Amino acid sequence: MFKFLRKHPPKDSEERSQLKKELFGYRRCLDHGFPSKPSCMAYDPKLKLLAIGTKTGRIKIVGAPGVEWSIELRSDVSVNQLFFLPEQGRLLSLCSDNTVYLWEINQRGDKSVVEQKREYTFSVEESRMKGISVCCLTNSCEQLLIGTEIGNIYILDLNTFKLLDQIIYQDVVMQNVPDDFKVNPGAVEALAVHPTDPDKFLIGYNRGLIVLWDNEASNADQTYNSTQQLESLSWHRNGTEFMSAHNDGSYIVWSTTNSAEPKEPALTPYGPFPCKAISKIDWKTAKLDPFIIFAGGMPRASYGDKHTVSVMQGSNNIHTVLDFTSKVVDFITISRADETDEPLETDEPHTLVVLAEEELVLIDLETQGCPSFSLPYFNSLHSSPITCSQHVSNIPDNLWQKIVDAGQAQNKNVSAREWPINGGKVAGAESLTKDMLLTGHEDGTVRFWDASSTSMSLLYKLSTASIFNVEIHGDHNSGEVEEEWPPFRKVGNYDPFSDDPRLGIQKIALCSLSETLVVAGTAGQVVVLRAEREEREIEVSSTTVNVVSDHDGFVWKGHEALGKKEGETTFAAGFQPVAVVQISPPAACTALAFHSEWQLVAAGTAHGFGLFDYAQKKEVTSRCTLNPDDLTGTSDTPISRRKSFKKSLRESFRRLRRRRSERRKAAEEKAKEEKKGEEKEEGIEVKSSPVKTSPPASPEARPVERQVEARNPEDSISSMVRCLYFATTYISDVSNTASSLWVGTNGGHVYIYTVTVPQEKRSENEVVAVLAKEIKLRHKAPVMAIAVVDGRTKILPDPLEVQHARAKEPQGNNHSVVICSEEQLKIFTLPHLKAKWKYKITAINGSRIRKVAFVNFRSRSDDNYSECNIACLNNQGELSVYSVSTLRQQLEASCLRREDINGISSFTFSKNGQGFYLQSASEYARITLSARNITEPTSSLELKEGMREAEPEPEPETETQEPADTEGTTENEAAQTSSGENAEVLNDSVLNDSQANTTMEGEITQDSVQIMQVTEEVSSSQETSRTTTVQETTTAMSGDHTETSTVTSTVTEVTSSGDAPNTGIMRKTRSPHP
C-alpha cells in the first residue's frame, strides 16, 4: 500500500492550486544595459526624454533614473530614424521597411504606457520610387519632410498621417538653378528647417548642391554649390547663415543672402593631408564664442581608424577630440534655449550626448575640461566581455555604504552636475531591499551593479590585476589629453581588450554578512577579499594547492600560473585581498564555494579540488579526480588527447565507426517502429517532441521513457568538478551533526568529506577533512547542484544567517540531500543515503539541466508563508520549478530559444525567484518565476493640458453569451502563457503524478506527456479538429476558418464533411490517470 501511494500520490487540493497561483508565475520583466546594435536616437528637450532605436526593431525611451518604456517591432526591421514631437509625448519612428509609426505615451491607471496611434507604409511601387534617404521635422511639428534617393521630397501630414499632394520634385528645383549647376545633384543628403522662417528649409544634395527652398512660394531662394560631396547641414541660431560639412573633412560657412561664394573659405580642421568625411556637424551659440561640434574629419593616413567627435570653441581655447573605442552612430547637443519657453539670445549648449555602437556617453560642456557624466542606465555591461555573474539580495546597509563610497572615490573625473535627462517620474514604490548583481569580466575585474530597481547603475569596480605581475595599460577613461595633434582624449568605458586572458573571472561568491568576497579565475587563481573603508598598504600571501602531485607522468601543457607581486602593495578603499590560492595545475576554476563562518574556501578545476583555510592561510586537503587514463597535460578543453598522436588518431576512427554503426542500428529500429505504428490506429508520443498526439484508446497506456545510457567518458572530462557545497548535517549517524563538504563531478561522482573545525584557538588548531562517503550516479551525469533539506523541508541557511536573525535554525533530525544532475533530480535520506524521490528529466522529455538554484518563494498575499523549491533551466530554454520535498513540478514556462546558447549559459538565478541572462553581449534580460517579486518599470509622464483629446466614454453594450461547458476544466487551464505575462501554473491533472516516476526504473508517468483532445459538436455535419501542442492551446472556429493560438508550435488538423457551420462548442479533456 505504501509503495502504491508513493507511485500515485493524491491530487493537489483546490487550496494547493490556489496557493500555487500566489507563489509562482513566469513573467518577462525588463532589460538592463546598453541596447544592442543601436541605429539612431532622438531627444525631447521639453519633456527631457531620450529615445534610442536599434537595428533589431527595438526602441527604448528613458528619462529620469527608473523612468523607461520599451517598444518592440519585428526583429527583421531596423529603426532608421526617430523624431520626438516636443512637449507632446509623441514619437515618430522611420523603419527600414519604409514604414512610419506614431507612438504616444498615455496615462493608463497609475502609470504611463506607450501606444501605437498611427502608421503609414509606402506601397511596393512607392517604396521602389521613394528609397528614403533622410527625414526632417518642421518647426510646427505638423509635417515630416521625407527626402529620397532619387532627389524628390515628399511631405507627410502628421495630423492625417497621409502624404500631401505637394511633392518637391528634383526637376522643379533644378529649373531655378543657374545653368552652371545643372547636373544631376544626386540623392537628398540633408534637410534643415530655417530656425526663424517655418516656410523655408535647406535641401542638401549628395554631390554638393545646396538649395534654400521657399515652400510657400515653391521656388528656390538661393542656390549654393560646393565642389565636395555633402554630408551634413547646420543652421546658425539667427537664421542668416549656415554651415555645411563635406566628405573631405572640411566645413564651409555660407550666408543666406549671398550664394555666389562662401562667407568663409572651406576649413579643414585636421588638414592639409586627406581627411575622412565629417558625417554630422552642429553649430551652437554661447555667451562667448559658438561651439562647433562634428563627428569624423580625422586624417586618413594616421588616424583613419579612430572614432571621434570634436568639440571646438574659439574664445575658451577649447579644442578636444573625444576618442571612442567603437563607431559613432549619432550625437545630439542639448541646449538650454530648447528646454525653456523663454526666449534666449544664445543656444547655451550644456550637454553633448554621443551614441556609439557599444556605449552611450554624455559630456558636460559647462564644466572646465568637459568631463563625462556617470550613467544611471544604458551602462555598457560588456565594457569587458562578461564571463560570469552572481546575484546577491538584501545587502546590509553597512556593506552597501562601503561599496558606494569606494565607487565614488573611483569616479574623480566625472561631472558633478545632476543627470540632465530627467523627464517623467517613477510611479511605483522604492525597493525595500538593496540587491546587487556582480559580473566577472575577461580583464580580471568584478563590477558591482545596483539591481534593486529598474535602472541598473554601476556602484563599484574591483580589479584583481593589481595583485598579480601583469602589465596594465593606462586607465581608458582617465580624462587626460594626449600631447599630440589632434588633441585626443579617450572617453567611455567600452574596452574590449584584455591585458592577459588568464585574468578572466570564472566564479564569484559573496557573503554580504561577513563582507567577504571570493573570486576564481582562468589560471586557477582564487582570491579572498574583504571590504575595508580605508586605503591600506599590505603584502598578500599566496599558497599553492597541487591537486595532482601524487600522480606520476602528468604533464601540464596549458598556460602558466599568474605570478603574484612581491612586497607590499597599496590597495584603495573597497575590497582588499586577504589571501591568494593558486591551484596547480593552473586550469580554469570550474566550481567555487566558501563558508565565511568556518573561514574555508573550496575550489575545483578539471583535475580535482582543494580545500583552503584562509584564517591560517594553509591548505586543508586536496584530491585529484582524474582517472589513470586521463592523465593528460591539456587545459580544461573537453577534447581528450592521448600522449601518442597515432593512438589518438586510431581511437578517433574507431569512435567514428562505432557511431556510424549505432546510427545504422537506430535507423533500423526507427523503421521497425514506424512499421508497427502504421498497423496501429492511435499512439502516444513522448514530450520531447513539441507536438503531442491524440490519447490512446486504453486509459492504462502511459508514455515510454527514454533509455538513458551511461556516458562515454571520452565524450567529456568526467573528472571536472562541477559543484561544491558546505553543510552541517548528519553524515555518520542520526544523533550528531557534522560539518561537511560535498563535491560533485562531471562523471556523476559525489565525494562527502567530514570537516572538523576547531571551536577554540581557531588561528592555531588545524582544520581536518576526512573522506566519509561517496555516491556514484548510475548514468554518470554531471552533478549540477547539491543542497541539504531539514525536517521542515527548508534548505539549510547560509553561513551567519541564523546569527543575524535572517533565517531560523534547522529543525528535526530527518535531513535529506537533493542532488541535481543534468538528467534527473534525486533526494536521498541522511545519513543512510537511501533514495527517497527521483524525477527523471532527460528520460521523460529529452532535455538536460543547465542551471539550478534553490529558491525561496514567498506568497504575494501572505507574508508569513514561504516554501523552498528547485528552479531549473534546461538546454531547451525552458524554466521549471519543482517541490523540494517531493520533486513535484510546480511551474513550467518557455523562456529562451534553444539556439541561444549564450543566453542559457549566462543565466543566473536569484534567491527570491528572479533570473538574469544575457540576451545580447551588452544587455541582461530580467525575468521572474515568483508571483510576488516582480521588478517592472512603473513610469509616469505628466503632459500639459490640451496635449491629448478627451476620449469619448464607451456606450454600454449588451452582450449575449452562450453557456460555456466547463466540465473537466480548472482555473489553471484558463491561464495563458505569453512573453511578459504570467505563465500558466501547471494544474492538478498534470501535477498529480510528478512523484510516480520516483521509485522504479522505466516507469511511465503522466507528466511525461500532456494530452489534449478537442471535441467539436456540429449541427448538421461532422468536423474533427485535433490540436497537438506542448502548452495550453486555444482553438476557435468560425465556419471553415480555424485559429489556433499557443505559446509553442502547434499542429491543427481539421477534417470536415458537409457545409453546415460549426456550432462553436468546445470541450477540453485530459487523459485519465493510471
PDB file of all heavy atoms in Angstrom, residues 688-701:
ATOM      1  N   SER A 688       9.313  14.945 -25.643  1.00  0.00           N
ATOM      2  CA  SER A 688      10.444  15.607 -26.264  1.00  0.00           C
ATOM      3  C   SER A 688      10.054  16.305 -27.547  1.00  0.00           C
ATOM      4  O   SER A 688      10.629  17.295 -27.932  1.00  0.00           O
ATOM      5  CB  SER A 688      11.539  14.591 -26.576  1.00  0.00           C
ATOM      6  OG  SER A 688      11.053  13.665 -27.526  1.00  0.00           O
ATOM      7  N   SER A 689       9.054  15.769 -28.226  1.00  0.00           N
ATOM      8  CA  SER A 689       8.567  16.431 -29.431  1.00  0.00           C
ATOM      9  C   SER A 689       7.641  17.563 -29.030  1.00  0.00           C
ATOM     10  O   SER A 689       6.869  17.446 -28.102  1.00  0.00           O
ATOM     11  CB  SER A 689       7.827  15.430 -30.307  1.00  0.00           C
ATOM     12  OG  SER A 689       7.180  16.091 -31.363  1.00  0.00           O
ATOM     13  N   PRO A 690       7.698  18.706 -29.767  1.00  0.00           N
ATOM     14  CA  PRO A 690       6.777  19.789 -29.442  1.00  0.00           C
ATOM     15  C   PRO A 690       5.348  19.519 -29.863  1.00  0.00           C
ATOM     16  O   PRO A 690       4.477  20.315 -29.647  1.00  0.00           O
ATOM     17  CB  PRO A 690       7.350  20.972 -30.236  1.00  0.00           C
ATOM     18  CG  PRO A 690       8.081  20.346 -31.349  1.00  0.00           C
ATOM     19  CD  PRO A 690       8.617  19.054 -30.823  1.00  0.00           C
ATOM     20  N   VAL A 691       5.104  18.357 -30.483  1.00  0.00           N
ATOM     21  CA  VAL A 691       3.770  18.010 -30.947  1.00  0.00           C
ATOM     22  C   VAL A 691       3.298  16.799 -30.185  1.00  0.00           C
ATOM     23  O   VAL A 691       4.008  15.816 -30.044  1.00  0.00           O
ATOM     24  CB  VAL A 691       3.786  17.695 -32.462  1.00  0.00           C
ATOM     25  CG1 VAL A 691       2.413  17.283 -32.913  1.00  0.00           C
ATOM     26  CG2 VAL A 691       4.267  18.898 -33.235  1.00  0.00           C
ATOM     27  N   LYS A 692       2.100  16.859 -29.651  1.00  0.00           N
ATOM     28  CA  LYS A 692       1.528  15.748 -28.924  1.00  0.00           C
ATOM     29  C   LYS A 692       0.422  15.120 -29.738  1.00  0.00           C
ATOM     30  O   LYS A 692      -0.324  15.807 -30.426  1.00  0.00           O
ATOM     31  CB  LYS A 692       0.947  16.215 -27.595  1.00  0.00           C
ATOM     32  CG  LYS A 692       1.980  16.806 -26.666  1.00  0.00           C
ATOM     33  CD  LYS A 692       1.355  17.009 -25.318  1.00  0.00           C
ATOM     34  CE  LYS A 692       2.357  17.641 -24.396  1.00  0.00           C
ATOM     35  NZ  LYS A 692       2.108  19.019 -24.154  1.00  0.00           N
ATOM     36  N   THR A 693       0.278  13.829 -29.667  1.00  0.00           N
ATOM     37  CA  THR A 693      -0.744  13.135 -30.436  1.00  0.00           C
ATOM     38  C   THR A 693      -1.976  12.913 -29.590  1.00  0.00           C
ATOM     39  O   THR A 693      -2.010  13.180 -28.396  1.00  0.00           O
ATOM     40  CB  THR A 693      -0.195  11.779 -30.924  1.00  0.00           C
ATOM     41  OG1 THR A 693       0.170  11.019 -29.773  1.00  0.00           O
ATOM     42  CG2 THR A 693       1.029  11.968 -31.785  1.00  0.00           C
ATOM     43  N   SER A 694      -2.993  12.381 -30.221  1.00  0.00           N
ATOM     44  CA  SER A 694      -4.242  12.132 -29.519  1.00  0.00           C
ATOM     45  C   SER A 694      -4.076  11.014 -28.524  1.00  0.00           C
ATOM     46  O   SER A 694      -3.199  10.161 -28.657  1.00  0.00           O
ATOM     47  CB  SER A 694      -5.326  11.766 -30.532  1.00  0.00           C
ATOM     48  OG  SER A 694      -5.543  12.856 -31.389  1.00  0.00           O
ATOM     49  N   PRO A 695      -4.897  10.939 -27.503  1.00  0.00           N
ATOM     50  CA  PRO A 695      -4.764   9.914 -26.475  1.00  0.00           C
ATOM     51  C   PRO A 695      -5.124   8.540 -27.028  1.00  0.00           C
ATOM     52  O   PRO A 695      -5.893   8.416 -27.973  1.00  0.00           O
ATOM     53  CB  PRO A 695      -5.761  10.360 -25.405  1.00  0.00           C
ATOM     54  CG  PRO A 695      -6.744  11.197 -26.131  1.00  0.00           C
ATOM     55  CD  PRO A 695      -6.000  11.866 -27.223  1.00  0.00           C
ATOM     56  N   PRO A 696      -4.540   7.495 -26.457  1.00  0.00           N
ATOM     57  CA  PRO A 696      -4.842   6.137 -26.928  1.00  0.00           C
ATOM     58  C   PRO A 696      -6.222   5.701 -26.456  1.00  0.00           C
ATOM     59  O   PRO A 696      -6.858   6.320 -25.610  1.00  0.00           O
ATOM     60  CB  PRO A 696      -3.739   5.311 -26.270  1.00  0.00           C
ATOM     61  CG  PRO A 696      -3.436   6.056 -25.016  1.00  0.00           C
ATOM     62  CD  PRO A 696      -3.619   7.508 -25.326  1.00  0.00           C
ATOM     63  N   ALA A 697      -6.637   4.609 -27.027  1.00  0.00           N
ATOM     64  CA  ALA A 697      -7.945   4.078 -26.663  1.00  0.00           C
ATOM     65  C   ALA A 697      -7.948   3.557 -25.243  1.00  0.00           C
ATOM     66  O   ALA A 697      -8.909   3.692 -24.513  1.00  0.00           O
ATOM     67  CB  ALA A 697      -8.345   2.971 -27.644  1.00  0.00           C
ATOM     68  N   SER A 698      -6.824   2.946 -24.833  1.00  0.00           N
ATOM     69  CA  SER A 698      -6.761   2.371 -23.495  1.00  0.00           C
ATOM     70  C   SER A 698      -6.326   3.422 -22.493  1.00  0.00           C
ATOM     71  O   SER A 698      -5.317   4.080 -22.673  1.00  0.00           O
ATOM     72  CB  SER A 698      -5.771   1.194 -23.470  1.00  0.00           C
ATOM     73  OG  SER A 698      -5.565   0.771 -22.146  1.00  0.00           O
ATOM     74  N   PRO A 699      -7.052   3.611 -21.390  1.00  0.00           N
ATOM     75  CA  PRO A 699      -6.662   4.620 -20.405  1.00  0.00           C
ATOM     76  C   PRO A 699      -5.445   4.211 -19.606  1.00  0.00           C
ATOM     77  O   PRO A 699      -4.874   5.014 -18.906  1.00  0.00           O
ATOM     78  CB  PRO A 699      -7.898   4.740 -19.515  1.00  0.00           C
ATOM     79  CG  PRO A 699      -8.579   3.417 -19.621  1.00  0.00           C
ATOM     80  CD  PRO A 699      -8.328   2.947 -21.013  1.00  0.00           C
ATOM     81  N   GLU A 700      -5.015   2.943 -19.696  1.00  0.00           N
ATOM     82  CA  GLU A 700      -3.887   2.485 -18.899  1.00  0.00           C
ATOM     83  C   GLU A 700      -2.558   2.742 -19.592  1.00  0.00           C
ATOM     84  O   GLU A 700      -1.515   2.564 -18.995  1.00  0.00           O
ATOM     85  CB  GLU A 700      -4.030   0.970 -18.618  1.00  0.00           C
ATOM     86  CG  GLU A 700      -5.239   0.635 -17.763  1.00  0.00           C
ATOM     87  CD  GLU A 700      -5.166   1.285 -16.403  1.00  0.00           C
ATOM     88  OE1 GLU A 700      -4.057   1.388 -15.846  1.00  0.00           O
ATOM     89  OE2 GLU A 700      -6.217   1.697 -15.890  1.00  0.00           O
ATOM     90  N   ALA A 701      -2.589   3.097 -20.879  1.00  0.00           N
ATOM     91  CA  ALA A 701      -1.324   3.304 -21.592  1.00  0.00           C
ATOM     92  C   ALA A 701      -0.625   4.543 -21.068  1.00  0.00           C
ATOM     93  O   ALA A 701      -1.250   5.543 -20.777  1.00  0.00           O
ATOM     94  CB  ALA A 701      -1.590   3.450 -23.081  1.00  0.00           C
TER      95      ALA A 701
END
